[in-house]
Amino acid sequence: MVHLHFNRGKNDTIMPNKKRKLSRKKKKSNSRKCDNGGIEGIFPPFNKFAYKSTRVGDTLNKISYESTYRSTGLSPKEKSYVICKCQSRSTRYVKLKNLASNAIRYNKIFSVYGSCNAIRNALLERGWVEKIPSNRMNLSKIRNGTCSNKSEIHSELERLLLSNLVEKCNPNFIWRTKDEIYDTTIDMTKDYNTIVNKLNTDALWTTKQGLCSSMKRNYWFYIDNIAEVNGPRTYNSYDGGEIEGFIKDYKITACTSLLKWILSMVANERPVFMKSGKVSMTVVVFALNRCKEYLFRKQNKDIDHTLPSVSKGQWNAFLKKYYQIIAKDDVFQADTENKLPLYLGYANFLLKEIHRYRPQLSCEGCHNIWIIKPAYCSRGRGIRMASKLGVITNLLNKANAKHVIQKYIEEPLLIYDTKFDIRQYYLVTSTYPLTIWMYANCYLKFSSQKYNLNNYHESIHLTNNAIQKKYKNYIGRHPDLPQSNMWDLEEYKDYLNRCGKSQVWDNIVYPGMKKSIIGIMLSCQDSLSISKNRFELYGCDFILDKEYKPWLIEINSCPDLNNTTQVTAKICPDVVSDIVKVIIDYAENPNSSTGKFECIYRQSMTVPRYGTAADIFVRGYRLSSEYFFKGKIEINEIYEDANIGKERDIKATLDKLKRLYETDIMMESEDDYNSIKKLQQETCSHNTQSENELCVAATVITEQLDKLMDGIDSENSIRLKSGRNKVLSSVFSKTSTCHIPMRRL
């Protein structure tokens, strides 16, 4: 075996002992100093554009010098140069060797794929050593002048030396960015002791399609005051059943939107019913009937009673009138029969009942706007908005990729007439048992334009930084709004204090976001596999309604942690640094600080018990009587009728209204509205409801008396039968149209 001993020459030129006898001319050439750390004479100048090409047929294959030369790390010459350069500072070299030795002994070797200096600095401060990926193990920073002064050059050489010393060891911690998500030598399907910032699963909740499916089943995982997801109604375009559900949702939303619009206009004394109006009042009756039927279905009252069907033509005719009213192209005819107070009272009652099943009713507005998002795109790409059913269906039919259709929150909370949303981070450190950490800090993203529902431009409705940085802020924008369109949490809290809402964040917003995150993770836990030594950071986007209630819009895996603005330049490095506190420090010492990360949910461990089938039992959570009530509908200055009362029963309220106004409000006239049929059809042309009930009661009485007669002698039975006839005669004395078959006595 040949041992090569490296000795430092006069001019820091590195050569083996057996090759030290060089000519003076060559030695002088090799030892020439230069600005890039003295390596110009040893290695050829680096040219990133150098390549060799080989023509195969008509194809020109270019093999870059950079990819072929640097793919396997440092060459032997480069390693020799790095070692000898560091040996020139003997004391420092010994410290570096000891640092590498301790890193190997105590499993403190890490690799960073991509650019994330925050995670690198946090680990280096804790005595960890970086193992540079082989494709980045090179002297390019010194060659191309990135390291300009001697201090930077020595730091880069020491980093390369440490990486070379731990070259044969597997990293104990791997951090990968989104761009480098699959660039790793670790097989994620196997169990390793290496800590990786990616769960061993595909997160369904981070795609729009998966989040839509997860939110539909989140009610199974409701835990009072712990887990409850609030999100807009969403449908997947690839599922025919969901498209049908969306169309039904759109139609009933048109009915509720019309009623809300009428109530708001009347409350603000706007002209809605005029002599010059061309839209019949029957349109209002149609909307009331459809809302009533919706409640019947939700209350399962359609099981024993068949609800009338409404044809496609009737819906099209209603939607046409609805579009005209909302667009203010027309108004209703004058209320000549004085039924308007009746309609308003019943509409108010129905909306309050529907809100128990559709919490978004309080913030979904009156324009029936829906947002169409590509299932697998991010940063606002490919998003469209539309309010007419035909336009939405055409967009979906022409789309080649999968989309989701989501009810747009038309009435969000605004700051100085500008839309915003909240970016909130959370961390999952274990899947079984589920452990979730939420970051106490967050930031707000603003739109660059004034909020306007008459314009669907992305600069108004999409707050993504990738979208907003393309546009200039509108003229006349409030001076307190940030030029970079971002606020940190402290700035938002200052704004809340000025508005007299200092307690809103701690009492409503933050707890609401916490419950949504826990709820969505519990609903997806069945799709997770056990991920040992895995963790992952997620970024959520929330929109607040006028009651400061947070609505979950989407969740992103591997969120962008780049310094795009002054706000993100401050919060993103802090997030990464605090992740290390949770993953490294807290794992070693539960009493150590976790920064601004708060453990919001830690699933309790259960020991499985095995027994016979007789030992099986069901365990669950008791739901309160008001479980399905999601807040309250808030319509400012709406019409209230004090005589209606607080009945929860739809039929009882309707009957009371009929008695108060001595009229039937639910009749739809064919003369006034030809495309809508009558909803209320009589089940019997000659019997009233009270007569039918009497007929049934009389039949039961007759059968019971007949059984009694069989056991009595004929002499007593004659008297009893005679008495029975007198009773029945008195029962039916008030009607002559109900006939009950009776045996001849």
Side-chain angles (χ1 to χ4, degrees):
M1 179 180 295
V2 179
H3 297 278
L4 299 181
H5 301 281
F6 292 91
N7 296 322
R8 183 163 52 93
K10 181 178 181 181
N11 296 319
D12 291 340
T13 302
I14 310 306
M15 292 172 291
N17 284 336
K18 61 190 301 183
K19 291 185 178 181
R20 290 190 62 187
K21 294 181 180 181
L22 299 174
S23 64
R24 179 176 299 178
K25 183 177 180 181
K26 189 172 183 180
K27 180 184 291 187
K28 186 176 181 180
S29 173
N30 284 342
S31 61
R32 188 171 68 244
K33 294 184 178 180
C34 58
D35 293 337
N36 58 7
I39 64 171
E40 183 182 30
I42 296 178
F43 308 109
F46 173 69
N47 185 359
K48 63 180 178 181
F49 299 104
Y51 65 88
K52 65 177 182 178
S53 61
T54 304
R55 183 175 296 277
V56 180
D58 295 330
T59 304
L60 183 65
N61 297 325
K62 296 182 179 181
I63 307 174
S64 67
Y65 174 87
E66 183 177 358
S67 62
T68 56
Y69 183 71
R70 289 164 38 189
S71 60
T72 56
L74 295 176
S75 67
K77 269 190 175 183
E78 290 175 322
K79 290 182 181 179
S80 299
Y81 170 76
V82 170
I83 294 173
C84 199
K85 270 292 194 182
C86 293
Q87 283 179 337
S88 64
R89 307 168 70 182
S90 58
T91 305
R92 181 62 180 166
Y93 179 73
V94 172
K95 291 181 179 180
L96 293 176
K97 288 186 65 177
N98 292 334
L99 180 61
S101 176
N102 290 332
I104 296 173
R105 181 181 304 173
Y106 297 111
N107 298 322
K108 289 188 174 183
I109 303 172
F110 74 95
S111 292
V112 176
Y113 290 79
S115 57
C116 188
N117 289 328
I119 195 75
R120 180 179 290 110
N121 294 335
L123 291 172
L124 291 176
E125 290 175 359
R126 289 162 173 78
W128 286 59
V129 171
E130 181 180 9
K131 179 182 178 181
I132 304 173
S134 59
N135 62 337
R136 290 179 172 81
M137 187 73 171
N138 53 64
L139 296 168
S140 60
K141 288 186 177 181
I142 300 177
R143 282 198 182 98
N144 59 26
T146 303
C147 300
S148 56
N149 54 56
K150 290 185 178 181
S151 176
E152 292 178 352
I153 293 174
H154 281 297
S155 297
E156 179 65 15
L157 290 173
E158 289 181 0
R159 192 170 76 97
L160 294 172
L161 174 64
L162 286 172
S163 179
N164 184 65
L165 292 174
V166 298
E167 181 182 18
K168 296 183 180 180
C169 301
N170 289 326
N172 308 111
F173 184 101
I174 291 181
W175 179 276
R176 301 177 301 175
T177 61
K178 190 172 185 179
D179 297 332
E180 305 282 345
I181 200 67
Y182 298 109
D183 183 13
T184 178
T185 57
I186 299 297
D187 186 359
M188 297 296 291
T189 62
K190 296 181 180 180
D191 186 20
Y192 286 91
N193 291 325
T194 303
I195 302 173
V196 185
N197 68 324
K198 180 76 173 80
L199 293 181
N200 188 14
T201 184
D202 292 329
L204 298 177
W205 60 95
T206 59
T207 65
K208 298 176 180 64
Q209 177 183 343
L211 182 62
C212 170
S213 302
S214 301
M215 294 179 72
K216 283 182 169 58
R217 59 175 179 267
N218 70 80
Y219 57 86
W220 291 107
F221 302 91
Y222 168 84
I223 304 176
D224 187 28
N225 206 33
I226 294 178
E228 181 182 5
V229 182
N230 292 310
R233 301 188 301 278
T234 313
Y235 300 89
N236 287 318
S237 66
Y238 70 93
D239 190 336
E242 295 225 353
I243 291 295
E244 182 181 353
F246 156 70
I247 294 175
K248 291 180 179 179
D249 191 336
Y250 179 92
K251 291 176 178 178
I252 193 64
T253 302
C255 294
T256 57
S257 298
L258 179 64
L259 298 180
K260 286 180 63 178
W261 186 84
I262 293 173
L263 289 170
S264 298
M265 296 295 284
V266 171
N268 291 282
E269 298 181 354
R270 301 286 183 84
V272 182
F273 301 90
M274 303 175 62
K275 291 182 179 180
S276 60
K278 298 180 181 179
V279 181
S280 172
M281 294 278 285
T282 317
V283 177
V284 181
V285 178
F286 181 88
L288 291 170
N289 278 320
R290 303 295 83 79
C291 291
K292 182 186 68 173
E293 293 164 7
Y294 171 83
L295 286 174
F296 280 165
R297 292 186 178 93
K298 285 296 182 180
Q299 296 171 359
N300 299 319
K301 293 183 179 180
D302 60 327
I303 297 176
D304 298 324
H305 300 85
T306 303
L307 298 180
S309 60
V310 182
S311 66
K312 183 178 179 181
Q314 292 173 321
W315 273 116
N316 291 338
F318 168 76
L319 292 176
K320 181 179 179 180
K321 299 296 182 182
Y322 163 73
Y323 297 147
Q324 292 176 358
I325 294 293
I326 296 298
K328 299 181 181 179
D329 294 335
D330 208 340
V331 293
F332 289 102
Q333 297 173 356
D335 179 26
T336 57
E337 300 180 4
N338 197 28
K339 292 185 177 181
L340 183 58
L342 188 62
Y343 293 152
L344 297 179
Y346 196 52
N348 183 50
F349 165 77
L350 289 175
L351 288 176
K352 287 184 177 180
E353 290 299 303
I354 291 175
H355 185 262
R356 301 174 62 216
Y357 305 100
R358 295 163 73 98
Q360 197 179 349
L361 186 66
S362 60
C363 60
E364 66 183 14
C366 303
H367 293 77
N368 209 358
I369 301 174
W370 294 73
I371 186 167
I372 302 97
K373 304 178 181 179
Y376 297 104
C377 290
S378 60
R379 299 182 180 179
R381 293 173 293 181
I383 294 179
R384 301 287 299 274
M385 292 173 60
S387 59
K388 292 188 176 181
L389 182 60
V391 175
I392 297 174
T393 53
N394 287 337
L395 287 174
L396 296 177
N397 292 334
K398 294 179 181 179
N400 296 324
K402 297 178 180 179
H403 286 70
V404 295
I405 314 106
Q406 187 177 79
K407 182 64 189 75
Y408 188 63
I409 297 179
E410 301 175 20
E411 298 178 352
L413 183 68
L414 303 177
I415 296 180
Y416 302 124
D417 298 326
T418 305
K419 182 181 177 181
F420 71 95
D421 66 14
I422 300 174
R423 167 52 61 94
Q424 178 65 56
Y425 295 107
Y426 75 93
L427 181 70
V428 177
T429 57
S430 174
T431 54
Y432 289 94
L434 184 62
T435 306
I436 307 172
W437 300 74
M438 184 168 168
Y439 203 61
N441 201 359
C442 62
Y443 63 91
L444 277 63
K445 300 176 293 179
F446 287 88
S447 170
S448 60
Q449 309 301 316
K450 187 176 181 179
Y451 189 68
N452 182 11
L453 286 176
N454 295 323
N455 189 345
Y456 296 161
H457 196 269
E458 64 180 8
S459 62
I460 301 174
H461 301 280
L462 303 182
T463 58
N464 307 64
N465 183 64
I467 297 291
Q468 295 301 327
K469 68 181 181 181
K470 299 186 297 184
Y471 303 100
K472 294 182 179 180
N473 297 335
Y474 73 94
I475 300 175
R477 180 183 171 101
H478 196 281
D480 289 345
L481 289 174
Q483 290 298 318
S484 62
N485 292 318
M486 284 190 185
W487 265 359
D488 59 25
L489 181 58
E490 292 303 320
E491 291 175 301
Y492 182 52
K493 286 184 175 181
D494 290 342
Y495 167 79
L496 292 175
N497 290 334
R498 294 195 300 270
C499 297
K501 302 287 185 180
S502 57
Q503 303 299 321
V504 163
W505 180 264
D506 294 329
N507 296 339
I508 302 177
V509 181
Y510 190 77
M513 294 192 297
K514 185 188 301 184
K515 288 188 287 186
S516 291
I517 290 173
I518 296 173
I520 203 66
M521 291 305 302
L522 286 175
S523 65
C524 298
Q525 191 178 17
D526 292 342
S527 64
L528 298 176
S529 59
I530 298 178
S531 297
K532 184 180 179 181
N533 294 324
R534 301 288 188 267
F535 69 95
E536 190 160 0
L537 179 71
Y538 299 97
C540 306
D541 289 333
F542 288 92
I543 287 182
L544 304 183
D545 62 16
K546 293 181 179 180
E547 298 294 329
Y548 294 90
K549 179 180 178 180
W551 293 81
L552 178 61
I553 303 300
E554 64 181 22
I555 302 177
N556 298 315
S557 62
C558 297
D560 186 11
L561 297 174
N562 293 321
N563 303 337
T564 55
T565 66
Q566 292 181 350
V567 174
T568 55
K570 178 182 178 182
I571 188 174
C572 292
D574 291 345
V575 170
V576 175
S577 177
D578 288 347
I579 287 176
V580 176
K581 293 179 181 178
V582 174
I583 302 301
I584 304 299
D585 299 346
Y586 182 79
E588 295 178 356
N589 180 13
N591 295 322
S592 61
S593 172
T594 58
K596 292 185 178 180
F597 273 107
E598 173 196 0
C599 186
I600 61 173
Y601 185 75
R602 193 186 301 275
Q603 203 171 41
S604 58
M605 290 291 294
T606 57
V607 179
R609 298 192 313 171
Y610 302 97
T612 62
D615 297 331
I616 296 177
F617 62 92
V618 177
R619 178 179 299 168
Y621 295 94
R622 182 179 179 180
L623 301 180
S624 62
S625 59
E626 297 296 329
Y627 162 59
F628 290 103
F629 183 77
K630 310 292 184 182
K632 61 178 181 179
I633 183 172
E634 196 67 36
I635 302 177
N636 295 330
E637 301 180 6
I638 60 174
Y639 179 87
E640 292 281 358
D641 192 338
N643 294 323
I644 294 179
K646 298 182 179 180
E647 288 84 352
R648 282 291 177 86
D649 185 80
I650 303 169
K651 186 177 180 303
T653 302
L654 181 57
D655 291 341
K656 189 168 184 178
L657 287 169
K658 290 179 181 179
R659 291 195 302 272
L660 288 172
Y661 294 94
E662 297 181 353
T663 183
D664 188 356
I665 69 170
M666 304 307 291
M667 298 300 296
E668 301 174 13
S669 172
E670 290 184 353
D671 296 335
D672 295 335
Y673 197 34
N674 295 327
S675 62
I676 302 177
K677 294 182 179 180
K678 292 183 178 181
L679 170 64
Q680 305 293 338
Q681 296 180 353
E682 299 294 335
T683 56
C684 180
S685 60
H686 57 279
N687 288 347
T688 64
Q689 181 179 2
S690 59
E691 291 171 349
N692 288 333
E693 292 174 353
L694 288 173
C695 291
V696 174
T699 303
V700 174
I701 295 173
T702 303
E703 293 175 354
Q704 292 177 349
L705 290 175
D706 287 340
K707 292 180 181 179
L708 184 62
M709 294 302 102
D710 295 336
I712 303 177
D713 54 65
S714 59
E715 190 172 346
N716 291 334
S717 66
I718 293 175
R719 288 197 298 270
L720 288 173
K721 289 177 183 178
S722 175
R724 183 190 65 174
N725 287 338
K726 292 180 182 179
V727 173
L728 292 177
S729 298
S730 63
V731 170
F732 296 108
S733 61
K734 297 182 181 180
T735 178
S736 59
T737 58
C738 183
H739 303 281
I740 300 178
M742 298 176 60
R743 291 189 301 170
R744 192 172 184 178
L745 300 178

